[in-house]
Amino acid sequence: MFTGIITGVGRIVAVHRLGSSLDHGKRLDIEAPAGYLDDVGLGDSIALNGACMTVTTLAPQKNQFSIEISAESLDKTSGLAETGPINLEKALRAHDRLGGHIVAGHVDGVGTISHFAQIGESWELRVLAPRELAKYLAYKGSITVNGVSLTVNRVADLDGAAPGCEISINLISHTVQNTALGHLRVQSQVNLEIDLIARYVERMLQSGKNL
């Protein structure tokens, strides 16, 4: 489990194929901030842009670790198959503060940035969310974007050629400066995870209809 509060910005420094076919995944070598891996062990979970992954090799003296990601996970996420900056969050411990919201580290869908611009001292980020996630997104509800816990400020349902919805999010300067979100551009793809509670509400509503 995670909270969506980014604890470090790392960088994917190398991507290695685990086989020659499309059914094979990849191994990612990731560089972390100095000292970030001091309390990390082999087999620990770290969220990469919101996707929960397992540490398979560890070189804390080099500030580097590796993970293996399956072809299925690569197909259902974005930004995990190429070098570049990446948001990092270590798994939640029982005595930690829950600073964001409850995050599972399971990517529900991939969104597309439709607008990203500074407004005053903050930034407005708009994301096009796919149709299957639209019903879970609500005004002042929680959403995880590339692993960052954020609050939805506006939801606009879309019709026609762009089904789904567009959500608007306000980013304070601290978030832009201390996560990899500042590297986003219009048309960038991002990993989205809906609020865990929304999943259960949907399930209960569907169960009620079948009684």
Side-chain angles (χ1 to χ4, degrees), residues 171-183:
L171 302 179
I172 62 173
S173 58
H174 177 86
T175 301
V176 174
Q177 294 166 7
N178 291 278
T179 71
L181 295 185
H183 295 274

Side-chain angles (χ1 to χ4, degrees), residues 48-164:
L48 309 179
N49 272 1
C52 179
M53 297 293 162
T54 301
V55 176
T56 56
T57 66
L58 189 62
Q61 70 279 7
K62 297 181 180 179
N63 297 314
Q64 288 193 1
F65 68 99
S66 298
I67 64 98
E68 292 184 1
I69 181 170
S70 68
E72 170 70 11
S73 293
L74 286 169
D75 184 59
K76 297 297 190 293
T77 60
S78 176
L80 299 181
E82 55 203 25
T83 58
I86 193 166
N87 291 321
L88 305 176
E89 183 187 356
K90 300 173 189 176
L92 176 67
R93 294 175 293 193
H95 64 278
D96 283 343
R97 293 186 177 93
L98 187 60
H101 69 283
I102 298 174
V103 175
H106 302 152
V107 176
D108 294 304
V110 175
T112 302
I113 303 303
S114 58
H115 177 84
F116 190 32
Q118 188 169 6
I119 300 176
E121 78 288 349
S122 61
W123 281 257
E124 182 187 18
L125 177 67
R126 297 182 206 156
V127 184
L128 295 174
R131 180 199 299 270
E132 59 270 21
L133 299 188
K135 61 185 176 183
Y136 299 107
L137 302 173
Y139 172 65
K140 295 305 179 185
S142 296
I143 182 70
T144 306
V145 179
N146 274 359
V148 185
S149 174
L150 298 167
T151 299
V152 176
N153 289 330
R154 188 174 68 253
V155 180
D157 291 319
L158 304 174
D159 297 315

